[in-house]
Amino acid sequence: MGRFKIKDLEIADFGPLEYTRMNRNMGENGLFIEGGHSSGKSTTVDAIYYAIFGESCSTRSCEYAKTKISLVNDENYILEIYRNSKKAHTLKIKSLDENNNFKTEEKIDHKNNVNNKLFEILQIPNFDLLEAKTKILLQDSAYTMRNWDASNLKRIIPYYTDSFENYEKIKILEDSISTTNKNIHKLNNELTKKSEDMNSLSENLSDHIDRKNKIEKVLEYHEKGLFKELFKNYKKNKEYSKKYYELSQKYRSNYMKLRKLNNEKRQTSYFDGSEKEIVSKLLYILECPVCGEHMDSKTVNKNFSPQKCPYCGSEDYNGELYRFVKQQSEESQKKLELINKELKKLYNENKNIEIEKEKLSKSMKMPAETNSIIDNLLEKYDNGSDLEFLKSIGAYGEEFKKISERIKEIEEEILNAKKEFKKNESSLKKYNKELKVLKKSLEDKNSELVTNSVLEFENLLNNNYKELLGIKAKRVRIKDYKIELVQKLHEKTITYHLYDGNILGDSERRCLNLALVLTLLDLDKKYNLTKLGYIILDDPTEGIFNDKEVNEETKNNILNRLKKEIEAGTQMIILSSDLECSNILNIEKEKKQFKQTQIDVNSPTGLL
């Protein structure tokens, strides 16, 4: 099926209330719409785009839009598209019958169904219409391809250089890398949690074993009859016994404080380390709310600088995260000093308590080693024949059985956790190996795409830019899918980044914008990609006369190139106040004073 051109257009309602209506046929070569500043030329571009695709190509509202447009190709297929933002969207596909009369082959209703069919016929591959927007040159530079981000150009260039298969393979690789990174991140989190769980289980096991050993000692002393002598010596040395008990209680209290402080130290140590390490740790745990991606620590290291955003590398950053990290790090250091000081104090206290208890034990001539449970029993009861004491011994016997079972369970849990940890480590190793292979494949595919696709696009863009601007044209370079201008001055290469600000003159800006449209038009015709046979240009020579050095030459270059495209069969819809465009290009002319459209209540849009 051949390329489609615009046959006729009706705009009954669009944009601001003061916008005048339009209803006319388009010429084979196109249409020149004359209009001064603020006459609605850009609104008309949006209206034409909406009439075809049901969307605005800028931020202009389509809330009250009512349009009808007909597209026709060389095989006499007609696409009649009716759109009413408040009512319905309809597509009629017509063709010539044997009597040379147009008949409707298919009628499609509802916006999504209409658009899906149009994308299929016009060979528009994506629902965001990025490929269709390359057929339009808007006056507002914010919407021109020159200002597109790298992700848009990364998709458009392969598509128009017939390398879309490579682009799709790259997207698959990037998605695979993203999935693998997520799996790695998930496994790292699981390993961290598993490690914390194993530490917690080990501490729990240690507490249970300690408790079991103490109870075992109690039961052993009871079976051997040692409590009789212990009670005798303990009660005989009341003063020593009281002090011994107090020391035991103090030792236990210190032990609990030590555990609490060590946990606090682990948490506070999160902000212990270099600024880069802390920033990397903080960003690594974050997840993008849009794409769900996690930050790669290598990216943090690459972007790390107090003057750059650690996430994206932008130098336009206020350094808030670095100030936060510095503050937290300083506070953590102070807190860690106090914690370490308190830990040292408690360790020394308990060490001294052990020495003091040993001395007291010798002074009291205790016949056996005691522990906190035995100390409590000696303090609480008068002798080993006490009924309550014997009940306590029985209770400790039951606890000994339960705690022995629990120790086996904890040991089994630790063993399973270690197996799971080892399994995760093995999976992590596998994913890291897989990631390395994927990244190498991506690097090769990107290199292939740059060699085959980007260079073709870049060379053609330079030819078109130079043809339009003349000898003053700087070399255009595509680097990381961003457009740069390169110039050699006195054997020194100067690079101009378009995102740095207003570095382009009016002629350079206009010619570069138009060169991008023409480059993609050339590639579209070469590889027969879309079925769109028109381009829409909003003031293609606007601003040229502000550049006195090149205005006449540049304007002639632009008009000659556009004339050549028209002669080659491209339909041009040009909106401008420059009447010379219409005369040189020899296309029909319409002044921007449109007649009021008549309304037909039976039409889907309310139009004729």
Side-chain angles (χ1 to χ4, degrees):
M1 191 175 283
R3 295 177 185 277
F4 284 86
K5 296 180 181 180
I6 300 172
K7 181 176 179 285
D8 53 59
L9 169 70
E10 296 179 30
I11 305 169
D13 208 350
F14 194 85
L17 292 174
E18 62 271 18
Y19 179 74
T20 49
R21 279 55 168 158
M22 179 179 178
N23 179 6
R24 70 156 295 145
N25 293 326
M26 296 285 180
E28 172 70 17
N29 295 334
L31 178 68
F32 178 85
I33 300 174
E34 179 194 348
H37 181 64
S38 299
S39 62
K41 296 192 301 295
S42 297
T43 304
T44 303
V45 175
D46 247 338
I48 296 171
Y49 188 84
Y50 172 84
I52 302 172
F53 299 108
E55 305 287 345
S56 169
C57 56
S58 67
T59 56
R60 194 172 276 107
S61 171
C62 307
E63 189 178 357
Y64 301 103
K66 293 178 185 176
T67 62
K68 176 202 165 188
I69 196 166
S70 297
L71 306 179
V72 63
N73 69 0
D74 292 339
E75 289 98 24
N76 285 316
Y77 273 94
I78 291 182
L79 307 176
E80 283 185 2
I81 310 163
Y82 302 82
R83 296 195 185 272
N84 184 330
S85 60
K86 293 294 184 182
K87 291 184 182 178
H89 297 250
T90 302
L91 168 64
K92 291 181 181 178
I93 303 171
K94 297 182 176 181
S95 63
L96 279 176
D97 61 17
E98 59 274 6
N99 299 318
N100 283 334
N101 295 319
F102 281 101
K103 63 173 182 178
T104 301
E105 288 190 352
E106 192 175 356
K107 182 185 173 186
I108 300 165
D109 293 315
H110 305 299
K111 184 178 178 180
N112 287 342
N113 296 337
V114 168
N115 286 355
N116 287 340
K117 191 64 180 179
L118 280 173
F119 296 158
E120 179 190 328
I121 295 170
L122 300 175
Q123 293 181 197
I124 306 296
N126 290 284
F127 291 103
D128 62 4
L129 295 166
L130 196 62
E131 289 77 13
K133 288 175 184 175
T134 64
K135 303 295 181 183
I136 298 174
L137 174 63
L138 290 165
Q139 191 176 26
D140 188 343
S141 61
Y143 301 105
T144 60
M145 283 182 278
R146 173 170 56 85
N147 287 323
W148 279 4
D149 62 27
S151 63
N152 285 344
L153 285 176
K154 192 173 183 179
R155 193 180 94 196
I156 283 297
I157 293 174
Y159 174 75
Y160 275 105
T161 50
D162 205 28
S163 300
F164 203 63
E165 189 180 334
N166 263 353
Y167 169 75
E168 288 179 325
K169 285 177 181 175
I170 284 172
K171 283 300 293 177
I172 291 168
L173 282 169
E174 286 175 339
D175 289 344
S176 298
I177 286 172
S178 173
T179 303
T180 305
N181 272 324
K182 284 179 182 177
N183 288 332
I184 288 171
H185 192 275
K186 184 181 175 183
L187 277 171
N188 275 321
N189 284 342
E190 285 178 8
L191 284 169
T192 302
K193 188 176 182 307
K194 199 64 72 178
S195 181
E196 289 170 356
D197 289 346
M198 285 194 293
N199 287 335
S200 178
L201 283 168
S202 295
E203 286 180 7
N204 199 7
L205 180 65
S206 178
D207 289 344
H208 277 74
I209 290 172
D210 182 55
R211 180 77 176 172
K212 179 191 171 188
N213 289 339
K214 287 176 179 178
I215 294 172
E216 190 174 26
K217 189 68 74 176
V218 170
L219 297 175
E220 181 191 334
Y221 283 10
H222 179 66
E223 286 174 9
K224 290 181 177 179
L226 294 175
F227 269 107
K228 184 179 180 181
E229 192 68 23
L230 280 171
F231 272 114
K232 181 181 174 182
N233 282 286
Y234 193 81
K235 301 301 177 184
K236 189 168 65 176
N237 300 283
K238 269 288 183 184
E239 187 180 336
Y240 288 124
S241 299
K242 185 180 179 183
K243 192 172 182 181
Y244 189 90
Y245 179 73
E246 287 172 354
L247 285 171
S248 296
Q249 294 298 102
K250 179 67 175 173
Y251 186 92
R252 180 67 182 167
S253 173
N254 284 351
Y255 174 76
M256 298 306 292
K257 285 180 184 176
L258 283 167
R259 285 191 63 172
K260 186 178 177 182
L261 278 170
N262 277 315
N263 284 331
E264 194 176 339
K265 183 179 179 179
R266 275 197 294 271
Q267 293 169 3
T268 308
S269 295
Y270 188 87
F271 284 94
D272 186 28
S274 70
E275 199 172 329
K276 185 191 287 188
E277 289 169 344
I278 298 167
V279 169
S280 182
K281 277 194 291 187
L282 281 171
L283 293 183
Y284 185 70
I285 62 172
L286 297 180
E287 184 178 279
C288 174
V290 180
C291 65
E293 292 292 332
H294 292 278
M295 169 57 73
D296 185 349
S297 58
K298 289 181 181 177
T299 307
V300 178
N301 293 334
K302 180 184 174 184
N303 292 333
F304 184 80
S305 166
Q307 287 78 40
K308 286 183 180 180
C309 170
Y311 201 91
C312 67
S314 169
E315 294 185 7
D316 185 22
Y317 178 62
N318 62 11
E320 185 179 353
L321 180 63
Y322 297 111
R323 288 193 295 275
F324 169 77
V325 165
K326 187 177 180 182
Q327 180 188 345
Q328 291 297 316
S329 181
E330 288 171 355
E331 289 176 6
S332 295
Q333 287 300 321
K334 290 176 184 176
K335 197 171 180 181
L336 281 171
E337 283 178 20
L338 293 173
I339 290 172
N340 286 328
K341 190 175 178 180
E342 186 65 20
L343 283 171
K344 187 176 179 181
K345 177 187 168 187
L346 290 170
Y347 278 126
N348 287 335
E349 267 188 31
N350 272 4
K351 191 175 180 181
N352 291 332
I353 287 172
E354 285 174 351
I355 294 169
E356 191 68 22
K357 279 180 71 179
E358 190 179 346
K359 286 180 183 177
L360 284 171
S361 184
K362 286 178 181 177
S363 300
M364 292 162 65
K365 296 180 182 178
M366 298 291 276
E369 182 187 345
T370 66
N371 57 45
S372 57
I373 299 177
I374 294 172
D375 294 340
N376 284 333
L377 289 170
L378 294 173
E379 182 66 24
K380 191 173 182 180
Y381 301 109
D382 293 328
N383 58 68
S385 304
D386 192 313
L387 187 61
E388 291 300 318
F389 171 78
L390 295 173
K391 281 183 181 178
S392 293
I393 295 296
Y396 282 126
E398 289 300 314
E399 185 182 348
F400 182 81
K401 292 175 186 175
K402 288 179 182 178
I403 210 166
S404 297
E405 287 299 316
R406 181 60 188 142
I407 285 171
K408 288 179 183 178
E409 289 173 4
I410 295 172
E411 286 174 338
E412 186 66 27
E413 286 175 28
I414 290 174
L415 186 64
N416 290 333
K418 283 180 178 178
K419 286 178 182 177
E420 194 65 31
F421 189 86
K422 195 172 180 181
K423 182 182 171 184
N424 284 352
E425 274 189 324
S426 177
S427 297
L428 185 63
K429 191 175 179 181
K430 176 191 160 193
Y431 280 128
N432 277 318
K433 190 176 179 181
E434 184 182 316
L435 184 64
K436 192 175 179 181
V437 173
L438 286 169
K439 284 184 174 180
K440 180 67 172 68
S441 298
L442 180 63
E443 187 183 330
D444 292 343
K445 280 291 172 192
N446 272 321
S447 177
E448 185 182 335
L449 194 64
V450 168
T451 303
N452 298 334
S453 183
V454 175
L455 286 180
E456 181 182 6
F457 176 82
E458 188 181 282
N459 290 334
L460 191 52
L461 177 58
N462 273 293
N463 291 339
N464 283 326
Y465 185 45
K466 192 171 182 180
E467 180 184 350
L468 298 176
L469 189 60
I471 58 172
K472 288 189 173 288
K474 299 179 181 72
R475 181 173 155 259
V476 183
R477 182 172 68 188
I478 309 296
K479 187 176 180 183
D480 297 328
Y481 295 95
K482 291 179 182 176
I483 300 173
E484 299 176 346
L485 293 178
V486 180
Q487 185 179 28
K488 275 199 171 184
L489 286 174
H490 310 297
E491 298 184 357
K492 185 179 178 182
T493 301
I494 300 174
T495 301
Y496 302 90
H497 302 285
L498 299 189
Y499 53 79
D500 283 346
N502 189 23
I503 64 163
L504 295 175
D506 289 327
S507 296
E508 288 179 301
R509 174 176 53 81
R510 181 55 56 178
C511 289
L512 182 55
N513 289 340
L514 183 55
L516 282 162
V517 174
L518 294 173
T519 297
L520 295 177
L521 177 66
D522 290 341
L523 291 167
D524 193 2
K525 288 191 288 189
K526 177 180 177 181
Y527 294 111
N528 192 28
L529 299 166
T530 73
K531 296 302 178 184
L532 301 174
Y534 65 83
I535 57 173
I536 304 171
L537 307 177
D538 187 0
D539 260 336
T541 57
E542 180 259 339
I544 297 297
F545 288 103
N546 296 336
D547 190 342
K548 293 180 181 178
E549 291 185 33
V550 296
N551 55 33
E552 198 62 44
E553 178 195 353
T554 302
K555 182 179 176 181
N556 288 334
N557 291 344
I558 289 173
L559 294 177
N560 287 334
R561 176 57 191 273
L562 295 182
K563 188 176 181 181
K564 193 190 300 181
E565 291 298 336
I566 291 170
E567 289 169 353
T570 300
Q571 185 186 44
M572 295 272 177
I573 292 94
I574 296 175
L575 303 94
S576 178
S577 58
D578 187 354
L579 291 175
E580 195 176 349
C581 288
S582 173
N583 298 331
I584 292 176
L585 298 178
N586 191 29
I587 55 177
E588 293 186 37
K589 184 167 67 174
E590 166 93 10
K591 192 160 185 180
K592 184 64 186 67
Q593 290 177 346
F594 306 131
K595 298 175 183 177
Q596 184 74 27
T597 303
Q598 299 174 24
I599 302 297
D600 177 3
V601 292
N602 296 316
S603 166
T605 60
L607 298 171
L608 281 177

